[in-house]
């Protein structure tokens, strides 16, 4: 007979239930504290968690085995519906500290009490993919923040892009159906490169501004740590006099903005589908938690009336050059969840979670969202009592009301009274409304005809798309063209491709021509008909570029050091020190996971074997190899990929002289070795290398090594005349 401790799986049980098989084979329980004993949900200690109750050794199982039935019942119900959008997410805890008071504009304590710390929970996400999809999908990133304020929970359910695809919430189900897997085949997963998405988009001109953003490198970020966040809609601040001021919320990463290249993203999804969550997890573990400034754009009706576009239209931004972003505080995300399901999965954000002093506007997308989030929580969490789950409970203030009962109620009001008004004495269990501190809605004057209409002030769909495009650095413009060609070349219907080029003609002629050429269209399709003539007079907004707003140093980045047996121990040490001095991290990659024996006999322990540590995992690489090691690596395809990928991805590559033949065998000729190749030797060279790495990429390289660059460069030259 199988006993605990004898068979496979017994080890797991030992964690909470210590057992020992005595010399006679009989089972003895070692006395221990009660809270280490495995129990059922009813608290009954479990004696055997390895075998179901049976009749005889080989007989049928018995229904009487309540432990088995309870365990299996619970397992069968472990899953809750994943979010219909933003299913793939990663949550962390943090703290917000206010540095500048907005007391002239709002009564919200979280925005007026300078120096106050407010607990936060942030969930990053992608939009289209299912829960198990890869982190590096080309997609918008959700950046949802819950502030547990003294006056209740305030959520900014934002994205890393400040505009959206549609102007009215009624189109959201269509947009999402079109973006997610096609219904007949159930694929493609986590990507927009398919007919249905581009069909919908090509018929939805209001999406064109968003299209520029999603085809830019914003949708393939290097890290959650290097994205911005935006509340998107125009919200409202309300002060003690009841006066309203419009506000747009911004999160600015102190780490600088950074993205990867598309070819890198595709490979990262295979090499490490958890790349973004692992990166944030590690940054917190290393005690280098990321920080963002919370910024606001504040404006009044006068500005709103004079602005070129409607401030209620979520497909438009207000350029920072027109209304600067005022930094009012900082938040740091520095703590893991204890349990992914309990917190990240069960957290429930809602745009209508606002505190006194913060309110809404009539943005029709925001109004629709205010309905949708609460509604979806019931489906997902199964009960109106989802606010009783610890991650959703207010932490900065008490909760008292007469809401009661329902599935899983944890917090029914105590005492006799469960209604109001009532004649019982006011108290914790008999709360009263508070006209002084309670939430007051902004007293907006509204009038109008009931109608299903779109305001003519929402009609310009191309001008800001163009403004975004011309605000990009040349390499970023090229990437937008490349992304459009990639996505549209996965679209089977030629008429959809053509329609999209027709829209691009309203945005930028070079872009349209490059995309048409990339798709092999023999002639340019007709321009899409625009509801209003697109403007060409909007100036570039440098704030919209990622490359222009990169980091100031290599801090927070990762260097991959490829070593072999016999490599210079002194150089490895010097590099490691230089990396540390920059506030960056490194990983050693070697032909064997045990590491490499360096020239002084010490062992450099490897974090990755070369096959598991491709250069896409690193922001820059250093080839610290011996002459023999270089010969060995020159015969290894994966090692050569390490170099050729780093080269193709425009990364900085430090190298020792003896690595040159290896580099050449990896396909990089001496003539291709640009300023991004930095010889390594002494301390100064290592430090200089790390300083150069702050630029992250040698973008000029891409124009030399990519066939698709030619059309783009010709278009640029033609524009310059
Ligand atoms: Fe969402 N969105 N959304 N969304 N959204 C959801 O709520 C919805 C929109 C955003 O990490 C859902 O709890 C509608 C814009 C984030 O838990 C759902 C519309 C922006 C998250 C929903 C939008 C967002 C969601 C799905 C058009 C950026 C993840 C699960 C009117 C400002 C939150 C859930 C998390 C999640 C509805 C458009 C951001 C169905 C109807 C614009 C970051 O309620």
């Amino acid at each position: 007979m199988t006993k605990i401790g004898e068979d496979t799986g017994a080890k797991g049980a030992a964690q909470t239930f210590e057992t020992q098989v005595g010399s006679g084979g009989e089972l003895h329980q070692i006395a221990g504290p009660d809270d280490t004993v495995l129990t059922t949900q009813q608290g009954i200690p479990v004696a055997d968690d390895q075998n179901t109750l049976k009749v005889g050794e080989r007989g049928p199982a018995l229904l009487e085995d309540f432990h088995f039935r309870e365990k299996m019942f619970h397992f069968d119900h472990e899953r809750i519906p994943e979010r219909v959008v933003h299913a793939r997410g990663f949550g962390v805890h943090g703290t917000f500290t206010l540095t500048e008071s907005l007391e002239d504009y709002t009564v919200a304590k979280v925005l007026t009490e300078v120096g106050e710390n407010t607990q936060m929970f942030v969930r990053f996400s992608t939009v289209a993919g299912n829960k198990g999809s890869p982190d590096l999908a080309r997609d918008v990133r959700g950046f949802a923040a819950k502030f547990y304020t003294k006056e209740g929970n305030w959520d900014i359910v934002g994205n890393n892009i400040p505009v959206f695809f549609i102007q009215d919430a009624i189109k959201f189900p269509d947009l999402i159906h079109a973006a997610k897997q096609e219904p007949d085949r159930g694929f493609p997963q986590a990507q927009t490169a398919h007919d249905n998405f581009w069909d919908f988009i090509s018929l939805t001109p209001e999406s064109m501004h968003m299209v520029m953003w999603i085809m830019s490198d914003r949708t393939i970020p290097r890290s959650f740590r290097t994205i911005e966040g935006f509340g998107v809609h125009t919200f409202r601040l309300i002060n003690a006099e009841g006066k309203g001021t419009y506000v747009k919320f911004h999160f600015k990463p102190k780490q600088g903005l950074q993205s990867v290249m598309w070819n890198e993203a595709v490979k990262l999804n295979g090499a490490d589908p958890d790349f973004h969550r692992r990166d944030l997890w590690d940054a917190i573990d290393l005690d280098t938690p990321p920080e963002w400034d919370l910024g606001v754009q504040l404006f009044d009706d006068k500005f709103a009336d004079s602005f070129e576009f409607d401030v209620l239209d979520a497909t438009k931004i207000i350029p920072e050059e027109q209304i600067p972003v005022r930094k009012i505080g900082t938040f740091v995300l520095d703590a893991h969840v204890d349990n992914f399901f309990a917190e990240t999965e069960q957290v429930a954000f809602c745009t209508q979670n606002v505190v006194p002093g913060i309110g809404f506007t009539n943005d029709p997308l925001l109004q629709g969202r205010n309905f949708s989030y609460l509604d979806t929580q019931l489906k997902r969490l199964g009960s109106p009592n989802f606010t009783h789950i610890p991650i959703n409970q207010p932490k900065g203030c008490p909760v008292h009301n007469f809401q009661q009962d329902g599935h899983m109620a944890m917090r029914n009001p105590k005492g006799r009274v469960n209604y109001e008004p009532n004649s019982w004495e006011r108290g914790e269990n008999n709360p009263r409304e508070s006209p002084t501190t309670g939430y007051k809605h902004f007293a907006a004057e509204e009038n109008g005809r009931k109608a299903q209409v779109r305001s003519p002030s929402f009609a310009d769909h191309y001008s800001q798309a163009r403004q975004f495009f011309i605000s990009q650095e040349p390499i970023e413009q090229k990437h937008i063209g490349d992304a459009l060609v990639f996505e549209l070349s996965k679209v089977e219907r030629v008429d959809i491709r053509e329609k999209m080029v027709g829209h691009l003609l309203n945005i930028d002629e070079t872009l349209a021509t490059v995309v048409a050429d990339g798709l092999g269209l023999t002639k340019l399709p007709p321009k899409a008909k625009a509801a209003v003539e697109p403007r060409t007079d909007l100036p570039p907004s440098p704030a919209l570029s990622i490359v222009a707003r990169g980091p100031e140093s290599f801090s927070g980045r990762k260097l991959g050091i490829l070593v072999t047996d016999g490599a210079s121990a002194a150089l490895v040490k010097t590099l490691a020190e230089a990396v540390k001095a920059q506030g960056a991290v490194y990983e050693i990659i070697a032909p064997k996971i045990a590491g490499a024996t360096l020239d002084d006999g010490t062992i450099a322990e490897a974090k990755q074997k070369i096959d598991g540590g491709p250069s896409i995992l690193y922001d820059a690489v250093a080839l610290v190899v011996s002459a023999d090691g270089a010969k060995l690596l020159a015969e290894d395809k994966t090692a050569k990929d390490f170099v050729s990928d780093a080269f193709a991805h425009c990364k900085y590559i430090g190298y020792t002289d003896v690595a040159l033949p290896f580099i050449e065998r990896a396909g990089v000729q001496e003539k291709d070795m640009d300023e991004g190749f930095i010889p390594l030797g002494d301390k100064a060279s290592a430090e200089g290398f790390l300083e150069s790495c702050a630029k992250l990429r040698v973008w000029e390289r891409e124009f030399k090594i990519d066939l698709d660059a030619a059309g783009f460069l010709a278009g640029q030259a033609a524009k310059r005349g």
Side-chain angles (χ1 to χ4, degrees), residues 270-323:
D272 186 0
D274 306 308
F275 187 70
H276 282 155
R277 57 205 59 216
R278 191 188 309 282
D279 170 88
L280 183 51
W281 180 275
D282 288 349
I284 291 173
D285 268 358
L286 289 167
D287 207 17
T288 51
E291 292 183 33
W292 282 259
D293 286 318
L294 173 66
V296 288
Q297 284 179 300
L298 298 172
F299 53 97
D300 55 14
D301 278 311
K302 197 163 155 244
F303 172 84
D305 294 341
S306 65
F307 183 54
E308 293 90 337
F309 306 100
D310 198 324
V311 300
L312 302 183
D313 174 358
T315 67
K316 304 295 185 301
I317 57 161
I318 299 176
E320 293 185 26
E321 291 75 13
Q322 264 167 288
I323 302 275

Side-chain angles (χ1 to χ4, degrees), residues 535-703:
R535 302 172 64 135
T536 53
D537 60 339
L538 301 179
S541 162
L544 301 179
S545 160
I546 299 175
V547 168
R549 293 169 55 223
E552 277 151 22
S553 75
F554 199 59
S555 168
R557 271 59 184 182
K558 196 187 258 185
L559 178 72
I561 308 178
L562 179 58
V563 299
T564 61
D565 284 346
S568 160
L571 184 55
V572 172
K573 191 161 167 259
T574 308
L575 262 179
E577 280 163 7
V579 168
K580 218 170 150 202
Q582 287 280 343
V585 292
Y586 68 91
E587 271 182 10
I588 299 274
I589 306 113
K592 297 253 161 63
I593 191 64
T597 308
L598 304 179
D599 60 359
D600 67 351
T602 56
I603 296 200
E605 271 181 37
K607 173 80 180 173
Q608 306 284 359
K609 172 171 160 52
I610 179 82
D611 310 64
S615 58
I616 46 171
L617 298 179
Y618 308 102
D619 294 289
V621 296
L623 312 174
V624 184
V625 297
S626 63
D628 285 348
K631 263 190 222 149
L632 209 73
L633 294 182
E635 301 311 316
D636 184 70
K637 178 75 180 81
T638 313
K640 285 188 281 189
D641 284 350
F642 186 91
V643 177
S644 69
D645 267 355
F647 175 67
H649 299 146
C650 303
K651 288 182 181 166
Y652 280 83
I653 302 175
Y655 66 98
T656 45
D657 279 353
V658 290
L660 279 168
F662 167 44
I663 295 175
E664 201 176 331
R665 283 294 304 278
V668 184
Q669 310 299 318
E670 213 177 324
K671 68 174 175 48
D672 299 327
M673 292 180 61
D674 51 31
E675 58 161 278
F677 283 82
I678 298 180
L680 295 172
D682 56 4
K683 189 163 177 256
S685 70
E687 287 169 356
F689 168 59
L690 263 297
E691 268 158 39
S692 301
C693 289
K695 284 189 237 147
L696 299 174
R697 309 279 168 139
V698 186
W699 289 123
E700 303 78 53
R701 191 185 296 161
E702 193 180 329
F703 288 112

Side-chain angles (χ1 to χ4, degrees), residues 72-131:
M72 202 51 81
F73 150 80
H74 200 277
F75 172 75
D76 291 345
H77 298 274
E78 268 178 14
R79 289 290 169 273
I80 60 173
E82 66 174 37
R83 289 164 174 82
V84 58
V85 280
H86 297 265
R88 173 113 177 129
F90 190 70
V92 278
H93 293 273
T95 309
F96 168 65
T97 309
L98 188 74
T99 51
E100 194 194 311
S101 171
L102 289 180
E103 64 194 343
D104 292 344
Y105 305 99
T106 177
V107 292
K109 289 195 171 137
V110 62
L111 299 180
T112 54
E113 295 185 341
V114 171
E116 269 302 301
N117 293 329
T118 304
Q119 255 182 279
M120 285 179 80
F121 188 74
V122 166
R123 184 174 178 273
F124 296 102
S125 50
T126 52
V127 180
N130 292 344
K131 205 166 160 258

Side-chain angles (χ1 to χ4, degrees), residues 83-86 123 125 142-144 157-159 164 166 168-169 172 230-233 347 349 365 368-369 372-373 376-377 380:
R83 289 164 174 82
V84 58
V85 280
H86 297 265
R123 184 174 178 273
S125 50
F143 195 149
V157 198
N159 278 345
F164 201 61
I166 48 171
D168 190 309
F172 193 64
F230 303 91
V232 175
H233 314 279
V347 67
F349 293 96
L365 202 67
R369 292 181 73 198
S372 181
Y373 288 72
T376 207
Q377 306 314 347
R380 225 164 48 74

